[in-house]
Amino acid sequence: MFRILVSDKMSGDGLKPLLDAENVEIVQQNVADVEEQLHTFDALLVRSATKVTEELLSKMSQLKIVGRAGVGVDNIDIEAATKHGVVVINAPNGNTISTAEHTFAMMASLVRHIPQANISVKSREWNRSAFVGTELYGKSLGIVGFGRIGTEIANRARAFGMDVLVFDPFLTKERAIKMGVTVCTLDELLQTADIITVHTPLTKETKGILNKETIAKTKKGIYLLNCARGGIIDEEGLIYHLENGHIAGVALDVFEVEPPQSSKLLDFEQVITTPHLGASTKEAQLNVAAQVSEEVLLFLDGNPVTSSINLPTLSKEVYEKIQPFHLLAKQMGNIVSQCMKEPVHDISIDFEGSVTDLETSYITKSLITGFLRPRVDSTVNEVNAGIIAQERGISFGEKYIPNNSGYENCITVKVSGDHSAFEIKGTYVPHYGQRIVALNGFDIDFYPVGHLLYIQHTDKPGVIGRVGQILGEHGLNIATMQVGRKNKGGEAIMMLSFDKQLEQASLNELKNIQDIVSIHTIEL
Ligand SMILES: NC(=O)C1=CN([C@@H]2O[C@H](COP(=O)(O)OP(=O)(O)OC[C@H]3O[C@@H](n4cnc5c(N)ncnc54)[C@H](O)[C@@H]3O)[C@@H](O)[C@H]2O)C=CC1
Ligand SMILES: O=C(O)CCC(=O)C(=O)O
């Protein structure tokens, strides 16, 4: 049974997949009200109100996934979630139309002074001359950030007969041409636009992208809108230019601090506001809640996620192709880790053959996870494996090499430690399974599961027999056995598998056999 905490208010219909699921218990309460139970939840669903901080994540020790019912994840400490091995997903498309429509409604309201006129009429005034507006038709709209919402706004603006200028450093020329917008630099946009609206995420680069200096470059009488995130337009800069009369009007759905109780911006007649309502429609709330609910359920049932912020996202179809290699890589990492009982500083992974057609970064993360599991106390998974490896001074990298192994696909892992190195090769054979096909240059062929014993020895008569005898005396049945050697009478290896774990006494006896160089038990 999975326990899911829904901390912010969400559409009941949207949560239906979770409410209907048999293996799920849902608690719809704010995190602050379930302080004692925080460690029991497997998943946390939030909108923008709940702040998912390092402190909260530390208290939620069972947490596996955070679902953000919306786009912006600035209320979630992604770095901390990644460190805690918690997957973060969002619902990127569900509220695009609602937010674009809201921005457009704000724009129309702004240039026609609708909110101010509404207050005036309700105050029993009839002051038509005070509310003379401006047409949108023929005006230049500058859009900063041309993603999902920016694109929808451009479509609507063109239908209103506006020229659309776009600044987005990640926008390709082809897409701009297709969308019928003019791409320009930020300075060109600032100097040309009559109205500017921002639709970027809040990042180090976008924080204060419109500020005292950049707003000064805009036309006198500019209209500015922020329906994305508070802080993208610097509030002090806004106040400065509202006071000096440079700005004709501002529409804000979002604020640097929400609610903006003490913000001076609320005192300006030419500032119109809404309380972060961009995504507040029945449709958007249903969409985003349903999207994250379905995704969280799939994830908890062991499926890949399609909109993760801190994991490579894979479709189910792609995941099915990757899954056998994902497992093979985890087993390979685990084997090396158990055989190399020393500090390791580099892991290099070579992919060859058909596996190179897949998203190998996911396979690499699985390998690093498998390697770290026997060494790390904290829960390590594909989300935090990279960070944990880095923290422990282990570098890793992957590359594609020509397919010379003789296998249809092959993964070779070379691990460098302080005192030695280890090399392992694995392949996946459909309908046959994962196979380890070489260890430290010895050709071998074994299935990497269960209780294994890896023995390095000298290729001499009687060694294998003595091993079998000691194991037999300890009541240990050898399930499978593989041997490999490079030269007659030289170094050799054995890989044995058992139905149960070996005890220390039998290992001690094996170690005493002359011509045995080393022994490692491997538990997979
Ligand atoms: N008011 C509300 O209720 C809502 C607000 N939002 C906000 O709107 C933002 C945009 O949402 P979407 O369009 O869905 O996101 P998106 O990811 O589709 O688009 C963001 C765009 O910003 C661009 N961008 C990133 N850094 C930039 C920079 N330094 N300069 C210019 N452009 C830059 C990206 O290239 C991308 O095209 C979200 O991050 C969220 O914060 C989203 C939904 C509802
Ligand atoms: O209504 C909400 O949850 C806020 C939506 C939002 O800001 C977002 O999706 O980024």
Side-chain angles (χ1 to χ4, degrees), residues 417-485:
D418 278 5
H419 310 293
S420 64
F422 198 101
E423 187 178 305
I424 183 169
K425 271 184 199 294
T427 186
Y428 169 68
V429 186
H431 310 298
Y432 191 48
Q434 290 77 8
R435 312 296 306 185
I436 301 302
V437 292
L439 278 183
N440 293 321
F442 294 96
D443 290 333
I444 198 158
D445 179 8
F446 68 94
Y447 188 42
V449 287
H451 314 286
L452 303 177
L453 185 65
Y454 171 50
I455 301 178
Q456 288 174 288
H457 62 101
T458 311
D459 179 37
K460 279 195 178 164
V463 179
I464 295 175
R466 187 78 190 105
V467 168
Q469 189 188 356
I470 293 174
L471 291 169
E473 283 165 9
H474 284 268
L476 285 158
N477 185 39
I478 300 173
T480 64
M481 181 171 180
Q482 294 285 321
V483 290
R485 67 176 187 187

Side-chain angles (χ1 to χ4, degrees), residues 148-444:
R148 287 173 292 260
I149 297 168
T151 303
E152 289 301 330
I153 286 165
N155 289 339
R156 284 152 184 75
R158 285 191 297 113
F160 267 64
M162 302 178 84
D163 290 331
V164 181
L165 305 171
V166 168
F167 169 68
D168 187 326
F170 307 107
L171 175 65
T172 59
K173 271 218 164 67
E174 294 73 37
R175 185 151 176 270
I177 292 168
K178 202 168 145 208
M179 298 307 304
V181 297
T182 307
V183 181
C184 56
T185 64
L186 181 61
D187 269 0
E188 285 164 351
L189 182 144
L190 294 172
Q191 286 155 20
T192 319
D194 301 301
I195 304 169
I196 299 174
T197 183
V198 294
H199 298 285
T200 67
L202 178 67
T203 63
K204 279 203 295 294
E205 288 75 30
T206 62
K207 190 168 191 294
I209 195 165
L210 293 193
N211 56 36
K212 189 172 156 189
E213 285 73 38
T214 48
I215 296 172
K217 295 180 183 174
T218 62
K219 287 182 183 171
K220 187 166 164 49
I222 188 81
Y223 289 98
L224 298 174
L225 293 99
N226 186 359
C227 293
R229 273 298 175 276
I232 298 175
I233 308 185
D234 175 62
E235 292 185 359
E236 267 189 34
L238 271 183
I239 292 167
Y240 178 85
H241 287 291
L242 280 161
E243 279 174 344
N244 72 17
H246 182 79
I247 296 177
V250 178
L252 298 172
D253 182 45
V254 288
F255 297 84
E256 287 174 7
V257 177
E258 292 178 8
Q261 307 307 36
S262 56
S263 175
K264 204 175 163 192
L265 283 166
L266 305 185
D267 300 333
F268 289 92
E269 173 73 9
Q270 47 304 31
V271 175
I272 67 167
T273 63
T274 44
H276 203 145
L277 290 185
S280 289
T281 60
K282 286 187 197 108
E283 294 84 352
Q285 286 315 306
L286 176 68
N287 292 342
V288 292
Q291 257 177 36
V292 285
S293 299
E294 278 159 17
E295 192 91 348
V296 162
L297 262 189
L298 282 172
F299 175 81
L300 291 175
D301 286 340
N303 296 294
V305 287
T306 55
S307 49
S308 170
I309 307 294
N310 56 356
L311 257 189
T313 55
L314 308 171
S315 68
K316 193 165 165 43
E317 196 190 17
V318 171
Y319 179 75
E320 274 164 11
K321 287 190 187 145
I322 285 188
Q323 209 276 336
F325 296 100
H326 182 260
L327 178 61
L328 171 66
K330 194 164 279 168
Q331 291 160 325
M332 289 170 76
N334 213 315
I335 290 172
V336 182
S337 194
Q338 294 182 61
C339 291
M340 270 187 102
K341 300 257 163 52
E342 62 178 286
V344 153
H345 48 81
D346 186 64
I347 301 177
S348 86
I349 303 143
D350 294 346
F351 292 101
E352 59 185 287
S354 62
V355 64
T356 58
D357 297 335
L358 304 174
E359 170 64 64
T360 48
S361 67
Y362 200 73
I363 301 171
T364 294
K365 288 266 175 68
S366 175
L367 193 133
I368 303 301
T369 305
F371 178 82
L372 290 171
R373 279 244 165 105
R375 297 177 175 232
V376 174
D377 314 335
S378 58
T379 327
V380 53
N381 58 25
E382 283 77 358
V383 179
N384 58 9
I387 291 185
I388 294 179
Q390 210 177 14
E391 281 172 357
R392 278 153 205 257
I394 304 170
S395 56
F396 62 91
E398 59 170 69
K399 62 179 190 301
Y400 294 174
I401 58 169
N403 189 4
N404 295 326
S405 65
Y407 297 99
E408 194 269 340
N409 61 74
C410 188
I411 304 176
T412 304
V413 182
K414 294 172 193 146
V415 181
S416 311
D418 278 5
H419 310 293
S420 64
F422 198 101
E423 187 178 305
I424 183 169
K425 271 184 199 294
T427 186
Y428 169 68
V429 186
H431 310 298
Y432 191 48
Q434 290 77 8
R435 312 296 306 185
I436 301 302
V437 292
L439 278 183
N440 293 321
F442 294 96
D443 290 333
I444 198 158

